[in-house]
Coordinates of all heavy atoms in Angstrom, one line a residue:
V15 N -45.6 2.0 -41.3 CA -45.7 3.1 -40.4 C -44.3 3.7 -40.2 O -44.1 4.9 -40.3 CB -46.3 2.8 -39.1 CG1 -46.2 3.9 -38.1 CG2 -47.8 2.4 -39.3
L16 N -43.3 2.8 -39.9 CA -42.0 3.3 -39.6 C -41.3 3.9 -40.9 O -40.6 4.9 -40.8 CB -41.1 2.2 -39.0 CG -41.7 1.6 -37.7 CD1 -40.8 0.5 -37.1 CD2 -42.0 2.7 -36.7
F17 N -41.5 3.3 -42.0 CA -40.9 3.9 -43.2 C -41.5 5.3 -43.5 O -40.8 6.2 -43.9 CB -41.1 2.9 -44.4 CG -40.5 3.5 -45.7 CD1 -39.1 3.4 -45.8 CD2 -41.2 4.0 -46.7 CE1 -38.4 3.9 -47.0 CE2 -40.6 4.5 -47.9 CZ -39.2 4.5 -48.0
L18 N -42.8 5.4 -43.4 CA -43.5 6.7 -43.6 C -42.9 7.7 -42.6 O -42.6 8.9 -43.0 CB -45.0 6.6 -43.5 CG -45.8 7.9 -43.7 CD1 -45.5 8.5 -45.0 CD2 -47.3 7.6 -43.5
T19 N -42.7 7.3 -41.4 CA -42.1 8.2 -40.4 C -40.7 8.7 -40.8 O -40.4 9.8 -40.8 CB -42.1 7.5 -39.0 OG1 -43.4 7.2 -38.7 CG2 -41.4 8.4 -38.0
R20 N -39.9 7.7 -41.3 CA -38.6 8.0 -41.8 C -38.6 9.0 -43.0 O -37.7 9.9 -43.0 CB -37.8 6.7 -42.1 CG -37.4 5.9 -40.9 CD -36.7 4.6 -41.2 NE -35.5 4.9 -42.0 CZ -35.0 4.2 -43.0 NH1 -35.6 3.1 -43.4 NH2 -33.9 4.5 -43.6
V21 N -39.5 8.8 -43.9 CA -39.6 9.7 -45.1 C -39.9 11.1 -44.6 O -39.2 12.0 -45.0 CB -40.6 9.2 -46.1 CG1 -40.9 10.2 -47.1 CG2 -40.2 7.9 -46.7
I22 N -40.9 11.3 -43.8 CA -41.2 12.6 -43.3 C -40.1 13.2 -42.5 O -39.8 14.4 -42.7 CB -42.5 12.6 -42.5 CG1 -43.7 12.1 -43.3 CG2 -42.8 13.9 -41.8 CD1 -45.0 11.8 -42.6
A23 N -39.4 12.5 -41.7 CA -38.3 13.0 -40.9 C -37.1 13.3 -41.8 O -36.5 14.4 -41.6 CB -37.9 12.0 -39.9
Q24 N -36.9 12.5 -42.9 CA -35.8 12.8 -43.8 C -36.1 14.1 -44.5 O -35.1 14.9 -44.8 CB -35.6 11.7 -44.8 CG -34.4 11.8 -45.7 CD -33.1 11.8 -44.9 OE1 -32.9 10.9 -44.1 NE2 -32.3 12.7 -45.2
V25 N -37.3 14.4 -44.9 CA -37.6 15.7 -45.5 C -37.2 16.8 -44.6 O -36.6 17.8 -45.1 CB -39.1 15.8 -45.9 CG1 -39.5 17.2 -46.3 CG2 -39.5 14.8 -47.0
A26 N -37.6 16.7 -43.3 CA -37.2 17.8 -42.4 C -35.7 17.9 -42.3 O -35.1 19.1 -42.4 CB -37.8 17.5 -41.0
V27 N -34.9 16.8 -42.2 CA -33.5 16.9 -42.2 C -32.9 17.5 -43.4 O -32.0 18.4 -43.4 CB -32.9 15.4 -42.0 CG1 -31.4 15.4 -42.2 CG2 -33.3 14.9 -40.6
N28 N -33.4 17.1 -44.6 CA -33.0 17.7 -45.9 C -33.2 19.2 -45.9 O -32.4 19.9 -46.6 CB -33.7 17.0 -47.0 CG -33.2 15.6 -47.2 OD1 -32.2 15.1 -46.6 ND2 -33.9 14.8 -48.1
R29 N -34.3 19.7 -45.3 CA -34.6 21.1 -45.3 C -33.9 21.8 -44.2 O -34.1 23.1 -44.1 CB -36.1 21.3 -45.3 CG -36.8 20.8 -46.6 CD -38.3 21.0 -46.6 NE -38.6 22.3 -46.5 CZ -39.9 22.8 -46.4 NH1 -40.9 21.9 -46.4 NH2 -40.2 24.0 -46.3
G30 N -33.2 21.1 -43.3 CA -32.5 21.8 -42.2 C -33.4 22.2 -41.1 O -33.1 23.1 -40.3
I31 N -34.5 21.5 -41.0 CA -35.5 21.8 -39.9 C -35.3 20.7 -38.8 O -35.3 19.5 -39.1 CB -37.0 21.7 -40.4 CG1 -37.2 22.6 -41.6 CG2 -38.0 22.0 -39.3 CD1 -38.5 22.4 -42.4
P32 N -35.3 21.1 -37.5 CA -35.2 20.2 -36.4 C -36.3 19.2 -36.5 O -37.5 19.6 -36.8 CB -35.2 21.0 -35.2 CG -34.8 22.4 -35.6 CD -35.3 22.5 -37.0
V33 N -36.1 17.9 -36.2 CA -37.2 16.9 -36.2 C -36.9 15.9 -35.1 O -35.8 15.5 -34.8 CB -37.3 16.2 -37.6 CG1 -36.0 15.5 -37.9 CG2 -38.5 15.3 -37.6
L34 N -38.0 15.5 -34.4 CA -37.9 14.5 -33.4 C -39.0 13.4 -33.7 O -40.1 13.8 -34.1 CB -38.2 15.0 -32.0 CG -37.3 16.1 -31.4 CD1 -37.9 16.7 -30.2 CD2 -35.9 15.5 -31.1
T35 N -38.6 12.2 -33.6 CA -39.6 11.1 -33.8 C -39.6 10.1 -32.6 O -38.6 10.0 -31.9 CB -39.2 10.3 -35.1 OG1 -38.0 9.6 -34.9 CG2 -39.2 11.2 -36.3
S36 N -40.6 9.4 -32.5 CA -40.8 8.4 -31.5 C -41.8 7.3 -32.0 O -42.7 7.7 -32.7 CB -41.2 9.0 -30.2 OG -41.4 8.0 -29.2
E37 N -41.6 6.1 -31.6 CA -42.5 5.0 -31.9 C -42.9 4.3 -30.7 O -42.1 4.1 -29.8 CB -41.9 4.0 -32.9 CG -41.4 4.5 -34.2 CD -40.0 4.9 -34.2 OE1 -39.2 4.2 -33.5 OE2 -39.6 5.8 -34.9
T38 N -44.2 3.9 -30.7 CA -44.7 3.0 -29.7 C -45.4 1.9 -30.4 O -46.3 2.1 -31.2 CB -45.8 3.8 -28.8 OG1 -45.3 5.0 -28.3 CG2 -46.3 2.9 -27.7
H39 N -44.9 0.7 -30.2 CA -45.4 -0.4 -31.0 C -45.2 -1.8 -30.4 O -44.3 -1.9 -29.5 CB -44.8 -0.4 -32.4 CG -43.3 -0.3 -32.5 ND1 -42.5 -1.4 -32.3 CD2 -42.5 0.8 -32.6 CE1 -41.2 -1.0 -32.4 NE2 -41.2 0.3 -32.5
G40 N -45.9 -2.7 -31.0 CA -45.8 -4.1 -30.6 C -45.2 -4.8 -31.8 O -45.8 -5.8 -32.3
M41 N -44.1 -4.3 -32.3 CA -43.5 -4.9 -33.5 C -42.9 -6.3 -33.4 O -42.6 -6.9 -34.4 CB -42.4 -3.9 -34.0 CG -42.9 -2.6 -34.5 SD -43.6 -2.7 -36.2 CE -42.2 -3.1 -37.1
A42 N -42.8 -6.8 -32.2 CA -42.2 -8.1 -32.0 C -43.2 -9.1 -32.6 O -42.8 -10.2 -33.0 CB -42.1 -8.4 -30.5
Q43 N -44.4 -8.7 -32.8 CA -45.4 -9.5 -33.4 C -46.1 -8.8 -34.5 O -46.7 -7.8 -34.4 CB -46.5 -9.9 -32.3 CG -47.5 -10.8 -32.8 CD -48.4 -11.2 -31.6 OE1 -48.1 -11.2 -30.5 NE2 -49.6 -11.6 -32.0
R44 N -45.9 -9.3 -35.8 CA -46.4 -8.6 -36.9 C -47.9 -8.5 -36.7 O -48.6 -9.4 -36.3 CB -46.1 -9.4 -38.2 CG -46.5 -8.8 -39.5 CD -45.9 -9.6 -40.6 NE -46.2 -8.9 -41.9 CZ -45.4 -8.0 -42.4 NH1 -44.3 -7.6 -41.8 NH2 -45.7 -7.5 -43.6
G45 N -48.4 -7.3 -37.1 CA -49.9 -7.1 -36.9 C -50.2 -6.3 -35.7 O -51.4 -5.9 -35.5
G46 N -49.3 -6.0 -34.8 CA -49.5 -5.2 -33.6 C -49.7 -3.7 -33.9 O -49.2 -3.2 -35.0
T47 N -50.4 -3.0 -33.1 CA -50.6 -1.5 -33.3 C -49.2 -0.8 -33.2 O -48.4 -1.1 -32.4 CB -51.5 -1.0 -32.2 OG1 -52.8 -1.6 -32.4 CG2 -51.7 0.5 -32.4
V48 N -49.1 0.1 -34.1 CA -47.9 1.0 -34.2 C -48.3 2.4 -34.2 O -49.2 2.8 -35.0 CB -47.0 0.7 -35.5 CG1 -45.8 1.5 -35.5 CG2 -46.7 -0.8 -35.5
L49 N -47.7 3.2 -33.4 CA -47.9 4.7 -33.4 C -46.6 5.4 -33.5 O -45.7 5.1 -32.6 CB -48.7 5.2 -32.1 CG -48.8 6.7 -32.0 CD1 -49.7 7.2 -33.1 CD2 -49.3 7.0 -30.6
S50 N -46.4 6.2 -34.5 CA -45.2 7.0 -34.5 C -45.6 8.5 -34.4 O -46.7 8.9 -34.8 CB -44.5 6.9 -35.9 OG -43.9 5.7 -36.0
T51 N -44.8 9.2 -33.7 CA -45.0 10.7 -33.6 C -43.8 11.4 -34.2 O -42.7 10.9 -34.1 CB -45.1 11.1 -32.1 OG1 -43.9 10.8 -31.4 CG2 -46.3 10.4 -31.4
I52 N -44.1 12.5 -34.9 CA -43.1 13.3 -35.6 C -43.4 14.7 -35.2 O -44.5 15.2 -35.4 CB -43.2 13.1 -37.1 CG1 -43.3 11.7 -37.5 CG2 -42.1 13.9 -37.8 CD1 -43.8 11.4 -38.9
K53 N -42.3 15.3 -34.7 CA -42.4 16.8 -34.3 C -41.4 17.5 -35.2 O -40.2 17.2 -35.1 CB -42.1 17.0 -32.9 CG -43.3 16.6 -32.0 CD -43.0 17.0 -30.5 CE -44.2 16.9 -29.7 NZ -43.9 17.4 -28.3
V54 N -41.9 18.3 -36.1 CA -41.0 19.1 -37.0 C -41.0 20.5 -36.5 O -42.0 21.2 -36.3 CB -41.6 19.1 -38.4 CG1 -40.8 19.9 -39.3 CG2 -41.8 17.6 -38.9
G55 N -39.8 21.0 -36.2 CA -39.6 22.3 -35.7 C -38.9 22.2 -34.3 O -38.3 21.2 -34.0
D56 N -38.9 23.3 -33.6 CA -38.1 23.4 -32.3 C -39.0 22.9 -31.2 O -39.8 23.6 -30.6 CB -37.7 24.9 -32.1 CG -36.8 25.0 -30.9 OD1 -36.1 24.1 -30.6 OD2 -36.7 26.1 -30.4
F57 N -38.8 21.6 -30.8 CA -39.5 21.0 -29.7 C -38.4 20.3 -28.8 O -37.3 20.0 -29.3 CB -40.4 19.9 -30.3 CG -41.6 20.4 -31.0 CD1 -41.6 20.4 -32.4 CD2 -42.7 20.8 -30.3 CE1 -42.7 20.9 -33.1 CE2 -43.9 21.3 -31.0 CZ -43.9 21.3 -32.4
A58 N -38.8 20.1 -27.6 CA -37.9 19.5 -26.6 C -38.1 18.0 -26.4 O -37.2 17.3 -26.0 CB -38.0 20.2 -25.2
S59 N -39.3 17.5 -26.7 CA -39.7 16.1 -26.5 C -40.4 15.6 -27.7 O -41.2 16.3 -28.4 CB -40.6 16.0 -25.3 OG -41.2 14.8 -25.3
P60 N -40.1 14.3 -28.1 CA -40.8 13.7 -29.3 C -42.2 13.3 -29.1 O -42.9 13.0 -30.0 CB -39.9 12.5 -29.6 CG -39.3 12.1 -28.3 CD -39.2 13.4 -27.5
L61 N -42.6 13.2 -27.8 CA -44.0 12.7 -27.6 C -45.0 13.8 -27.8 O -44.8 14.9 -27.5 CB -44.1 12.1 -26.2 CG -43.2 10.9 -25.9 CD1 -43.4 10.5 -24.4 CD2 -43.4 9.8 -26.9
I62 N -46.2 13.4 -28.3 CA -47.3 14.3 -28.6 C -48.4 14.0 -27.6 O -48.8 12.9 -27.4 CB -47.8 14.1 -30.0 CG1 -46.7 14.5 -31.1 CG2 -49.1 14.9 -30.2 CD1 -47.2 14.3 -32.5
R63 N -48.7 15.1 -26.9 CA -49.7 15.0 -25.8 C -51.1 15.0 -26.4 O -51.3 15.5 -27.6 CB -49.6 16.1 -24.8 CG -48.3 16.1 -24.1 CD -48.2 17.2 -23.1 NE -46.9 17.2 -22.5 CZ -46.6 17.9 -21.5 NH1 -47.5 18.7 -20.9 NH2 -45.4 17.9 -21.0
T64 N -52.1 14.6 -25.6 CA -53.5 14.7 -26.0 C -53.9 16.1 -26.5 O -53.5 17.0 -25.9 CB -54.4 14.2 -24.8 OG1 -54.0 12.9 -24.4 CG2 -55.9 14.3 -25.2

Side-chain angles (χ1 to χ4, degrees):
V15 172
L16 302 181
F17 183 73
L18 179 54
T19 300
R20 287 181 57 217
V21 169
I22 294 169
Q24 186 65 50
V25 168
V27 168
N28 290 349
R29 292 180 62 183
I31 303 170
V33 62
L34 297 170
T35 64
S36 178
E37 299 95 29
T38 306
H39 50 81
M41 290 282 294
Q43 183 173 337
R44 188 170 183 86
T47 297
V48 180
L49 173 68
S50 285
T51 61
I52 308 161
K53 286 186 168 182
V54 179
D56 190 23
F57 290 98
S59 165
L61 300 179
I62 296 178
R63 295 181 187 191
T64 300

